[in-house]
Amino acid sequence: MNAYTLLPFIVLIAAMFLMTRSAKKKQQQAAQMRNEMQPGSGVRTIGGMYATVKDVHEDTVLLDAGPGVELLFAKNAIGAVLTDEEYNRIVHGAEHDLKSDVAVVPDDASSLTGTDGADGTDAAAVSDDKAVDLGKDPGQEDTAAAEAAGTKADEQPKKTDGDSEAK
């Protein structure tokens, strides 16, 4: 056989060896991470639940998911062991690393328009005092509502005492 015909097979075998080697290395790192778990550390399960390790056994882990909620998980079900800072940020919402150069989104749209009132007051304060004119006549609104109520009353069938002509 010629060496050129064996070359594709050799390349394929080498690629498979490299892929299995990296996967095996990741599995070993995950197993090491699970074995280094200690009570009190925060974890994320493979299902996405965050909890605190209460007790570690040989193949299982007892997790504290909240006040009075203890869950028993297999060690293989632990997806990541989190640092204390990361666990507190995710679970308790404690943001300690806020950047001052990040643009802050305002709570209301009045600050986006940049318009102030004529006397220098805020646009939101001015708009609260004035009624918005929608171009409708207040009297016309009342007559339209009365007409709508009258047509609905005519369309409804009349109720009887139970006597019907079908007897």
Side-chain angles (χ1 to χ4, degrees), residues 57 81 85 88 117 122 163-164:
H57 301 288
V81 177
E85 182 179 307
N88 287 333
D122 190 12
D163 296 332
S164 67

Side-chain angles (χ1 to χ4, degrees), residues 6-70:
L6 292 177
L7 187 61
F9 293 112
I10 293 171
V11 171
L12 182 65
I13 290 171
M16 288 175 42
F17 174 73
L18 291 174
M19 284 190 277
T20 56
R21 182 176 169 209
S22 66
K24 193 174 208 177
K25 192 173 183 180
K26 286 181 184 178
Q27 286 177 349
Q28 287 175 347
Q29 288 176 345
Q32 180 182 1
M33 174 221 26
R34 289 181 188 116
N35 289 332
E36 291 178 357
M37 276 189 301
Q38 297 177 355
S41 56
V43 295
R44 181 184 68 235
T45 65
I46 58 174
M49 183 183 71
Y50 293 93
T52 306
V53 176
K54 189 166 186 176
D55 197 14
V56 179
H57 301 288
E58 188 173 329
D59 293 331
T60 59
V61 179
L62 185 65
L63 300 178
D64 182 21
V69 179
E70 295 179 353

Side-chain angles (χ1 to χ4, degrees), residues 56-138:
V56 179
H57 301 288
E58 188 173 329
D59 293 331
T60 59
V61 179
L62 185 65
L63 300 178
D64 182 21
V69 179
E70 295 179 353
L71 304 166
L72 186 64
F73 274 81
K75 271 190 178 179
N76 292 340
I78 304 301
V81 177
L82 308 172
T83 63
D84 291 337
E85 182 179 307
E86 185 179 12
Y87 180 78
N88 287 333
R89 180 181 59 82
I90 293 170
V91 174
H92 302 296
E95 292 288 337
H96 298 291
D97 54 343
L98 294 176
K99 297 180 182 176
S100 60
D101 59 343
V102 176
V104 177
V105 178
D107 291 337
D108 59 346
S110 64
S111 62
L112 296 175
T113 59
T115 58
D116 289 339
D119 57 352
T121 59
D122 190 12
V126 171
S127 64
D128 289 341
D129 296 339
K130 296 180 182 178
V132 177
D133 183 21
L134 300 175
K136 292 184 178 178
D137 182 24

